[in-house]
Amino acid sequence: MTNSRSYVLAAGGTGGHMVPAAALAAELANRGHKVSLVSDDRGVRFPGLFDGIDTHVLPAGRLGGGPLGYIRAAGRIMAGRSMALRLFKELKPSAVIGFGGYPALPTLLAAFRAGVPTVIHEQNAVLGRVNRFVAGRVNAIATSYDEVERMKPRWTRKTHLIGNPVREAVLALRDRPYPIVDEEGIFRVLVTGGSQGATVLSRVVPDGLALLPVHFRRRLQVTHQARIENIDAVRAKYQAHGIPADVSTYITDMPEALAWAHIVIARAGASTIAELTAAGRPAILVPLPSATDDHQTANAREITNAGGARTISQRAFNATELAKQIQKLGLDGQALENAAARAKSVGRPHAASDLADLVESIHAPTAPIKVRRAAIQGRLAHA
């Protein structure tokens, strides 16, 4: 590290955008760079993600709501762009890195106006709306999957397979062995529906676990994240079935929950998939059907095809189907270990470092981006 630079990260306010942004911020800061975050009110409030990072809230508008909605959104986006341009005069960024979400758009538009180099990172297996809108103008596109839908062929030359950065605490699980599965020991199940929980998981999972053979059911220990309005009903179901369960609205230490889980039942959000493949945990995935462009189904494809997960559409997700899929994995300890290894095989543990390399390479004329990309791809192939 010879030159300290200033970088601006622009991200939408959901965990799927903020977690990889935080991972890159930590990596760039560790390399001696100054890092600033631009987001909305939600994004800057994520506990612990951006400690020590300079944060800024800019107005942004979500396109939609008919003609008047578009007009209002456009006004907020342009106001955010003007504020970002003023911010650039102070920060003098070497590059702006966008992570998707409407709150990222004003800052990227400001970067185009100011001539600041830009990189976008796509967490999902379908290019998101904001990233699609700006993809033609950015210097580089970083993807999390080898195959990403809604990508135009002309963008291929500037597209780099990076992976989806995860927190260091999750990445550290990669070096820990998969928990031993003892035929007489506790079998730990982690149920998580993302930052907002998932009502369908709360409705189906307790009854599905109750259908397991008695000798298996008696071994269960469940940690279940549920929406606040569902908590009492979920607790009552587990109690009625005689299944020990810790039910809460927020899992304070997700890395530790992942560490001891034998199997995970979850949605297929980008961060969830990245953490499952980083840690190497087998999963049963229920993609959110209302996700934009059905991107959660696309997210689940790689880990499922590798044998690290089983995907059940929400339409087919019921207690009987869940019990059947758990038995296919959970009754055989060796099958579980194999699934864990296959989940890990599609993880990209160097994503944060490789993304930081890509960002820095924009300013390194002696190491062109295409050369850096080849080096990154080679390392990923041998990870």
Side-chain angles (χ1 to χ4, degrees), residues 99-139:
F99 287 84
Y102 285 101
L105 183 56
T107 306
L108 287 165
L109 294 177
F112 299 150
R113 179 69 177 84
V116 177
T118 51
V119 177
I120 55 173
H121 179 269
E122 178 55 57
Q123 300 87 51
N124 293 301
V126 181
L127 198 64
R129 290 178 179 176
V130 168
N131 280 347
R132 289 203 299 269
F133 183 73
V134 301
R137 300 181 65 182
V138 300
N139 296 81

Side-chain angles (χ1 to χ4, degrees), residues 307-360:
R310 294 174 180 268
T311 297
I312 307 174
S313 71
Q314 183 160 313
R315 183 181 305 170
F317 186 60
N318 55 53
T320 301
E321 181 64 20
L322 175 61
K324 181 172 72 175
Q325 296 300 333
I326 290 177
Q327 288 184 78
K328 286 182 178 180
L329 282 173
L331 289 179
D332 183 347
Q334 188 58 54
L336 273 171
E337 289 188 31
N338 290 341
R342 290 170 180 172
K344 186 183 287 187
S345 74
V346 292
R348 297 183 172 91
H350 304 295
S353 176
D354 288 341
L355 183 55
D357 286 348
L358 177 62
V359 168
E360 289 182 331

